[in-house]
Amino acid sequence: MSEKYLFSFCFLVISIFVFSQEKQDKAIIPHIRLKADSKKDHISLRWAVDEPLAWQKANKTGFQLKRYVLMRDGKLLQKPEEKDLGIFKPASETEWEKVVEKNDNAAIVAQSLFGDTFEVEIGEKQGKLEGVINKSQETDQRFAYALMAADLDFEVAKLAGWAYTDKDVKPNERYLYTVTINQNTQSGTMVMVEKGDAVASVSANTELPKPLDFIGIFKDKTVTLSWEYLQLRDTYTSYYVEKSENGSAFKSLGDLPVMNMNDADGRQAQGMTFVDSLAQNNSKFSYRIRGKTIFEDYGPYSDAVSGEGKKSLETTPRISNFNIAEDETITINWEFPQEAEKDIVSFELLHSETDLENTYKVVKNRIPVNSRGLVTKSLAPSNYYKIQAIGKNKDKRESFSVLAQPNDATPPEIPIEFKGKIDSLGVVHLQWKANTEKDLEGYHIFRGIQKGDEMVRITPQAISKNMYKDNVVLENLNSKVYYYLTATDIRKNQSKPSIILELEKPDKVKPQSPVFTEYKLEEDGKITLHWLRSYSDDVALHQLYRQDKDGTDKSWKMIYETKDIQSDFIYTDKNVEPDKRYVYYLLAIDKNKLKSDKSPEITLRSNSFEAQSVLTNLSGSANRNKKQIELIWKVDNKDVGEILVYRQKGTEKPTLWGTLTGSQNFLEDKSVQTGNSYSYLLKPMLKNNQVTKTEKITIEY
C-alpha cells in the first residue's frame, strides 16, 4: 500500500486481550485458542494464536476451520460428519484500505499485519491519540495490540481471518469446531501450533451476567471505581463506564472501553479499577458499568453506585516532645495549627508495640481540638505512639510515630526443652519451649560441626517462632552437628545459651574401600591374600569377591565375609584349580548398609600341581536288558564328602547330573537313548577342600 493511513486510539485502562491472558500457561508449543458463542440461529467463532512469532507466521499461511456434527436429536453419531468451512487469511491490503480511515480498530490491526508498508502519522484525530504502532516496534507489540483491537470489533476480527459466523446450523445438532494452521502452502514452512477446538450448539438463552462487586470510593474531587474481574474474565474483555450528575441521565465516559492489562508473568488480576475526576465536591454523582464480549454482545448494567466528593483533611499533627517519668508515665506533646482546628472534630492517641502497619490501636479518643498534650501509661516494654486528627468528613491524618521505652536491662530466661532431629534429606528440625516475656524479640541459633569448637550464629536476625529448620550436608565427613540457642528481647538483652544439642546425621557417606597389600601363590595351588581394612569408623563387615577368569561362568561370587574388624586381614582361597586365572576385589559395608566402592581388582594365576586321584578302577557298561548305563568305581579316601557327577550327551555341554555321597561307588543312569554316546565326569569333593582329580569315562549305548 503506497498510501499513508492515519489512525488513533486511547484506552481508559491499558489492556491485554482475552486470548493473550490465556497464554499464561507458558506452553512449550504455541496453541490456537478458540471460543464459540451460541445464538438461536447462528454460532460465532473467534480464534487466535497465543504466541507472537507463531501468530505472525500463521497469518501468512492462514487457518483451516472444520466443523463436525457430533450429535443429532440427542444421539451421538457413530462417525462425526465433517464439513470444511474454509481457509481464513487476513484480507488483502485493498480490502483494508476501505475501512481503516473510518475504523481505528481496523487501522491498528492493519498496521500490525502490514507494518513494513504502513506508516503512522498524527493527523486530524491527534487529540484522541494516546499511542500508535509503527514499523520499529517488535512483533509482540503488534501481536498484543492487533488481538486487542480485534477483541473490540468482531467484524475487524473477521477481516483479519480470526473469526467466522456459522449460519448453517440446526437446533437438533451439536457441533465440534477445530481450527488448525493451514500447512498446504507453497512456502513449505511448517508452523508448529497446537489446534484449537470448541463444542457448541445453537441456544435461545443469550442472557449475560451482571458485573460483580461494583463499588465507588469518593474522595476530594475524585472517585475510584472498582469491580470483580477474574470471575467474568472469560465472558467480558472490556467494560463501558457511564456517569450521572445529580440524577441526570447516564452518559458514557468516552467511546472507548476500560480493559485490563494487569495480568503479567502468570499473575491474574482479581479486580479492575477506574479513577474519574469530579467537577466539584458535595454534589451527587452516580456510576454504572456494563461488559462487552469479543462477539460484540453487551451485558446488563451493574447496580449504580453514588456518592459525593469531600474535601480531605490537609493538616497533619506532629509530636514535638515526650517524656518518661520514673513511675513509667509518659507525657506526650504535639503541634497542630490553630487555624486548622475548624476542619477537625477531635484528636486520638494511637499505640503499637511494634510500629508495624495495621498494628496501631486507639487508646484514647475524643481529645479536644484545642489540646496539645496528654499523659498516658506505659502499656508495653516498647511503646510506639501517634497522634491522629479526625476530620469533619471522617477522614484522618496521623503523625509520625515516636518510641517510648522504659529502662530495662533484664535478659530473657534461658530457652528450655531444646530438641531436634535430622531427616534423611539433611533438614534439621529444631524446637523448644517458647519464652513468655512480653518484650521478647525472638531467638538466635548457633551451630558447630566439631565438638568443643566455637559455634557460629546462623540466624541473621532474631526469629519469632520456637522452631527452626536448618540444612546440613550429609555427604561430608563429620557425622554429628551441634546447636544451642539464646533468647533476646527488643532492647537486645540476650539470655545465656541453652544446652548444647548433639545431633547425629543420617549416614549418606559410603565407607572407604579396603586395599590389597600383598598375595602369595602357594605350591599346592592355593592363593593367599593380604589386605588393609577400610578406615571408615562405622564399617560393619568386609567382603571378598572372586571371578573365575578362565571358566565358563564369569559371574562374581562372594567367597569370604567377616564382621571381625581388624587392622589387616589374611585369607587363603583353597577352592581353586591349578594353572587358572582368578580376579579378586574387596568391599566394605557400614552399619547403615552403605557399600564402599570396589577396591582395585587383582588378577592371579594359581600354581600348577598334580591333583590327588581319589576314585580308581572306574568302569562302566551298557545294560540293554535294564535299559540303563551302569558305572562302578573304588573310593580310596575316607575324607570324600560328596561326589559331583556331570553327564555329557554326545557333543553337548556337560551338565550336573547328580550329587552322590562320598562312600557311594556305583550309579545307574536310566535316562539314556539308543544310538548315543554318554560321557560321565566324576569329581570327588574332599572335606578339607583339597583339590582332587576328576575322572572321566565314555559309554556307547
Side-chain angles (χ1 to χ4, degrees):
M1 299 172 83
S2 59
E3 192 173 350
K4 300 177 181 179
Y5 289 89
L6 309 176
F7 65 89
S8 66
F9 54 93
C10 64
F11 306 100
L12 301 179
V13 176
I14 302 294
S15 76
I16 287 292
F17 58 94
V18 65
F19 292 105
S20 69
Q21 289 168 336
E22 294 179 355
K23 183 187 171 185
Q24 292 173 359
D25 58 2
K26 296 183 180 179
I28 296 176
I29 299 178
H31 288 67
I32 297 175
R33 307 294 182 176
L34 174 62
K35 289 184 175 293
D37 181 64
S38 301
K39 296 293 189 295
K40 63 180 180 180
D41 58 354
H42 67 272
I43 296 173
S44 296
L45 302 168
R46 174 81 168 84
W47 60 86
V49 179
D50 63 1
E51 194 278 326
L53 290 177
W55 166 81
Q56 191 177 55
K57 295 177 182 178
N59 291 330
K60 296 178 181 179
T61 62
F63 300 89
Q64 184 172 35
L65 175 63
K66 291 186 178 182
R67 186 189 74 185
Y68 299 87
V69 181
L70 300 178
M71 299 180 67
R72 183 175 289 118
D73 297 325
K75 296 181 180 180
L76 189 67
L77 300 186
Q78 186 174 3
K79 182 179 181 182
E81 298 175 2
E82 178 183 331
K83 181 177 181 180
D84 191 343
L85 298 179
I87 304 297
F88 295 81
K89 292 184 177 181
S92 66
E93 296 183 19
T94 303
E95 293 296 317
W96 288 99
E97 290 176 0
K98 300 175 183 179
V99 295
V100 294
E101 290 289 352
K102 299 179 180 179
N103 190 320
D104 283 350
N105 291 319
I108 295 171
V109 175
Q111 178 69 23
S112 301
L113 293 173
F114 308 105
D116 290 338
T117 54
F118 264 32
E119 294 182 8
V120 178
E121 294 183 349
I122 299 177
E124 297 177 357
K125 299 181 181 181
Q126 113 178 38
K128 295 175 59 180
L129 188 61
E130 292 276 331
V132 294
I133 302 175
N134 55 42
K135 289 187 291 185
S136 66
Q137 291 178 310
E138 298 179 358
T139 301
D140 56 350
Q141 294 173 306
R142 301 172 182 268
F143 167 75
Y145 283 100
L147 293 186
M148 178 197 64
D151 283 349
L152 297 176
D153 195 322
F154 190 69
E155 293 303 318
V156 170
K158 284 185 176 181
L159 199 62
W162 307 332
Y164 177 73
T165 299
D166 188 5
K167 297 182 179 179
D168 183 21
V169 291
K170 298 178 182 180
N172 65 330
E173 294 180 341
R174 187 168 181 82
Y175 307 101
L176 169 66
Y177 294 90
T178 63
V179 178
T180 57
I181 301 301
N182 175 33
Q183 304 289 7
N184 298 321
T185 63
Q186 298 299 320
S187 66
T189 301
M190 297 292 290
V191 183
M192 299 302 296
V193 179
E194 290 289 336
K195 70 175 182 178
D197 50 41
V199 177
S201 57
V202 296
S203 172
N205 181 16
T206 57
E207 183 177 352
L208 293 171
K210 288 173 60 174
L212 303 173
D213 300 332
F214 182 50
I215 61 172
I217 300 174
F218 292 82
K219 294 184 178 180
D220 188 9
K221 293 186 179 181
T222 63
V223 60
T224 300
L225 305 173
S226 66
W227 60 95
E228 207 284 335
Y229 164 72
L230 186 60
Q231 191 170 340
L232 298 179
R233 65 183 289 236
D234 290 333
T235 302
Y236 299 125
T237 59
S238 59
Y239 291 85
Y240 288 83
V241 182
E242 297 185 0
K243 179 179 181 181
S244 168
E245 183 176 359
N246 291 325
S248 62
F250 281 95
K251 295 182 180 179
S252 178
L253 294 179
D255 299 330
L256 293 170
V258 178
M259 303 179 73
N260 175 62
M261 202 172 181
N262 293 325
D263 290 353
D265 300 327
R267 300 187 300 270
Q268 296 181 343
Q270 183 70 36
M272 293 183 67
T273 59
F274 173 72
V275 179
D276 188 32
S277 61
L278 305 178
Q280 58 186 357
N281 289 327
N282 303 315
S283 182
K284 183 179 179 181
F285 292 89
S286 300
Y287 293 85
R288 66 183 185 182
I289 60 172
R290 63 172 175 169
K292 181 184 177 184
T293 72
I294 59 174
F295 301 100
E296 296 196 340
D297 292 326
Y298 289 91
Y301 285 105
S302 68
D303 296 331
V305 296
S306 303
E308 298 179 358
K310 299 177 182 179
K311 185 178 180 181
S312 60
L313 184 61
E314 297 178 353
T315 308
T316 303
R318 184 182 72 85
I319 296 178
S320 57
N321 185 41
F322 71 92
N323 181 63
I324 305 174
E326 292 184 2
D327 62 355
E328 296 192 357
T329 59
I330 302 173
T331 302
I332 300 175
N333 300 101
W334 66 91
E335 297 175 356
F336 191 80
Q338 186 176 0
E339 61 271 17
E341 291 179 0
K342 67 181 185 304
D343 298 325
I344 66 173
V345 295
S346 66
F347 293 105
E348 292 180 341
L349 177 64
L350 307 181
H351 176 269
S352 170
E353 295 185 25
T354 61
D355 198 30
L356 297 176
E357 189 177 358
N358 300 323
T359 62
Y360 279 88
K361 296 181 180 179
V362 177
V363 294
K364 186 173 290 190
N365 59 6
R366 297 181 182 179
I367 302 171
V369 297
N370 59 354
S371 295
R372 297 297 185 270
L374 57 79
V375 178
T376 185
K377 292 183 179 181
S378 174
L379 302 177
S382 293
N383 301 279
Y384 292 89
Y385 291 106
K386 292 181 180 181
I387 294 295
Q388 181 170 260
I390 309 300
K392 291 183 176 180
N393 291 323
K394 296 184 179 180
D395 52 340
K396 302 175 181 180
R397 298 294 293 269
E398 61 184 35
S399 70
F400 290 110
S401 64
V402 294
L403 171 62
Q405 284 184 318
N407 293 328
D408 179 15
T410 304
E413 294 292 328
I414 300 173
I416 60 175
E417 299 182 19
F418 187 32
K419 55 187 177 181
K421 63 178 181 179
I422 306 176
D423 65 23
S424 60
L425 299 177
V427 179
V428 184
H429 303 265
L430 303 173
Q431 64 182 56
W432 56 93
K433 186 177 181 179
N435 284 41
T436 58
E437 293 86 357
K438 289 185 178 180
D439 62 343
L440 184 73
E441 181 187 30
Y443 308 90
H444 282 293
I445 310 294
F446 296 77
R447 181 182 65 201
I449 59 174
Q450 296 291 339
K451 190 171 185 178
D453 287 355
E454 183 178 356
M455 299 174 73
V456 179
R457 194 177 80 180
I458 60 174
T459 48
Q461 57 191 18
I463 58 174
S464 58
K465 295 183 179 180
N466 61 320
M467 61 181 63
Y468 186 76
K469 288 184 180 180
D470 189 25
N471 291 279
V472 295
V473 179
L474 299 179
E475 288 76 14
N476 58 18
L477 297 180
N478 61 302
S479 61
K480 295 180 181 179
V481 64
Y482 302 86
Y483 294 92
Y484 73 78
L485 77 152
T486 61
T488 181
D489 63 22
I490 57 178
R491 294 174 183 81
K492 308 305 178 183
N493 297 314
Q494 187 164 259
S495 73
K496 293 182 179 180
S498 70
I499 63 169
I500 295 179
L501 193 63
E502 180 182 86
L503 299 179
E504 186 167 351
K505 297 193 297 186
D507 189 8
K508 293 291 184 181
V509 180
K510 56 187 177 182
Q512 293 178 323
S513 303
V515 179
F516 288 112
T517 57
E518 61 177 301
Y519 64 88
K520 182 179 181 181
L521 304 178
E522 307 290 352
E523 293 181 359
D524 59 357
K526 300 174 185 176
I527 298 175
T528 299
L529 301 167
H530 298 248
W531 69 88
L532 292 178
R533 58 157 291 180
S534 166
Y535 281 99
S536 298
D537 294 335
D538 57 349
V539 168
L541 56 90
H542 292 78
Q543 293 177 339
L544 174 65
Y545 287 82
R546 187 188 74 180
Q547 180 192 57
D548 187 347
K549 191 76 171 178
D550 296 328
T552 56
D553 184 1
K554 295 295 193 301
S555 64
W556 288 92
K557 295 180 174 59
M558 185 180 70
I559 62 172
Y560 178 66
E561 178 180 87
T562 178
K563 296 181 180 179
D564 182 16
I565 307 302
Q566 308 170 22
S567 59
D568 51 21
F569 293 85
I570 300 176
Y571 176 76
T572 299
D573 186 4
K574 300 177 182 179
N575 188 22
V576 296
E577 296 183 24
D579 196 29
K580 291 190 69 174
R581 290 180 301 162
Y582 296 93
V583 187
Y584 300 88
Y585 74 79
L586 296 162
L587 278 185
I589 301 175
D590 67 18
K591 62 183 180 180
N592 291 310
K593 310 300 183 184
L594 295 177
K595 296 183 178 181
S596 71
D597 293 330
K598 292 173 23 177
S599 71
E601 296 177 358
I602 182 172
T603 303
L604 302 172
R605 181 185 292 275
S606 62
N607 286 326
S608 299
F609 64 94
E610 185 69 24
Q612 181 180 358
S613 181
V614 175
L615 303 184
T616 59
N617 301 329
L618 175 62
S619 62
S621 62
N623 190 335
R624 289 181 174 77
N625 293 329
K626 294 184 178 182
K627 298 181 179 180
Q628 64 184 24
I629 290 177
E630 299 172 349
L631 301 180
I632 189 170
W633 61 89
K634 182 180 179 181
V635 180
D636 289 343
N637 194 317
K638 296 181 180 180
D639 291 332
V640 177
E642 59 185 10
I643 301 172
L644 304 181
V645 180
Y646 294 84
R647 188 182 77 161
Q648 180 181 14
K649 179 181 177 181
T651 59
E652 294 179 359
K653 183 179 178 181
T655 59
L656 182 64
W657 180 83
T659 302
L660 309 178
T661 65
S663 60
Q664 189 169 338
N665 63 349
F666 71 94
L667 69 79
E668 297 174 344
D669 183 5
K670 298 182 179 181
S671 300
V672 293
Q673 297 176 343
T674 304
N676 292 292
S677 67
Y678 294 90
S679 297
Y680 297 86
L681 293 89
L682 281 71
K683 182 175 182 59
M685 305 297 294
L686 297 183
K687 296 177 182 179
N688 60 5
N689 292 325
Q690 185 176 347
V691 179
T692 61
K693 183 179 180 181
T694 300
E695 305 294 340
K696 181 178 180 180
I697 187 172
T698 301
I699 306 297
E700 298 291 336
Y701 185 81

